[in-house]
Amino acid sequence: MIDSTALYQLSYGLYIISSSYEGKKSGCVANTLNQITSVPEKMSVTLNKNNFTTSIIEKSGYFTAVVLSKNVDMSMIGTFGFKSGKDEDKFKDITYGTDNFNLPYPMENVTARFTCKVVKTVDVGTHVMFIGELVEAVNLSKDEVMTYAYYHTVKKGVTPENAPSYQKPDENKGWRCMICGYIYEGDILPDDYICPICGATADKFEKL
Ligand code: FE
């Protein structure tokens, strides 16, 4: 048997993975960053094939990752997790730095940053796993790091459909944001309601 809810017991952190190619910057939220070897230091990250960021990493051969702290602004998760870099420059309204490889990384409410040079790309079906050799690693703050569990239970965050850990919700009551999937648990959705995850207005919600 497969009880998919057992997968909820896995622990993860939450990261923003970015890259740039020919002046085009992109980034996305991921919970799939891991250190996989120590000599040399290598990391992996697994991203959906449909993510714009994935195509930018494939072209540039590099990615950066920042570790998000518990203080992270949910609007930043909305920008990097639920919008496409195809349509807009996700970095336009946020404070970001650039590493020695000229890749962008968000600077606010992050605890560390990494830059990896891709040494292997593995097709895993819906997603691509990038294996990278670590070329930069910097501690940025001593804030507490965000865990995936904290994001769900305290921040009331949701998982976008293109994440490897996405599971279809039990849809029975309330209203669902058609942009990000956030569920408002209540019979009446206020007209001036704004999605706490992606900033969508009430007309973007559908009744369940
Ligand atoms: Fe939303």
Side-chain angles (χ1 to χ4, degrees):
M1 66 172 275
I2 293 177
D3 179 350
S4 298
T5 63
L7 294 166
Y8 290 147
Q9 304 214 33
L10 297 173
S11 300
Y12 301 101
L14 210 56
Y15 313 98
I16 291 179
I17 312 300
S18 334
S19 192
S20 80
Y21 181 72
E22 292 184 341
K24 184 89 183 156
K25 299 185 286 298
S26 191
C28 63
V29 176
N31 67 331
T32 53
L33 183 73
N34 289 289
Q35 179 180 356
I36 51 172
T37 60
S38 59
V39 187
E41 288 162 313
K42 280 192 232 159
M43 303 180 88
S44 70
V45 68
T46 306
L47 301 177
N48 193 283
K49 285 179 179 172
N50 295 327
N51 277 8
F52 186 62
T53 306
T54 305
S55 66
I56 297 281
I57 295 172
E58 280 172 338
K59 287 176 192 148
S60 74
Y62 286 86
F63 64 87
T64 64
V66 288
V67 180
L68 296 177
S69 86
K70 285 183 175 175
N71 305 324
V72 71
D73 194 353
M74 289 304 274
S75 69
M76 188 150 104
I77 305 246
T79 298
F80 283 96
F82 295 98
K83 290 175 184 168
S84 175
K86 269 189 207 101
D87 310 323
E88 62 174 288
D89 179 357
K90 294 183 183 181
F91 287 89
K92 75 177 186 324
D93 294 323
I94 70 149
T95 308
Y96 70 94
T98 48
D99 66 9
N100 288 318
F101 296 82
N102 212 26
L103 304 186
Y105 64 91
M107 292 179 77
E108 288 181 349
N109 300 317
V110 297
T111 70
R113 69 173 177 88
F114 305 100
T115 301
C116 290
K117 178 186 190 331
V118 176
V119 293
K120 189 166 188 173
T121 303
V122 184
D123 186 327
V124 289
T126 53
H127 289 64
V128 173
M129 177 186 275
F130 294 109
I131 295 171
E133 202 166 305
L134 192 62
V135 290
E136 274 187 53
V138 181
N139 280 305
L140 297 170
S141 82
K142 290 193 157 60
D143 291 349
E144 269 190 81
V145 304
M146 172 86 98
T147 62
Y148 203 49
Y150 186 89
Y151 170 68
H152 283 288
T153 57
V154 181
K155 295 278 207 179
K156 302 292 179 205
V158 295
T159 301
E161 247 176 277
N162 61 5
S165 52
Y166 176 76
Q167 293 192 12
K168 265 196 186 316
D170 285 336
E171 296 164 7
N172 42 28
K173 67 180 185 92
W175 295 76
R176 183 179 53 214
C177 174
M178 291 185 285
I179 307 298
C180 76
Y182 177 78
I183 307 279
Y184 173 85
E185 292 175 359
D187 285 337
I188 296 162
L189 183 75
D191 288 344
D192 59 353
Y193 191 73
I194 302 285
C195 177
I197 305 299
C198 73
T201 47
D203 60 305
K204 300 289 191 310
F205 278 73
E206 60 180 357
K207 183 107 176 77
L208 298 174

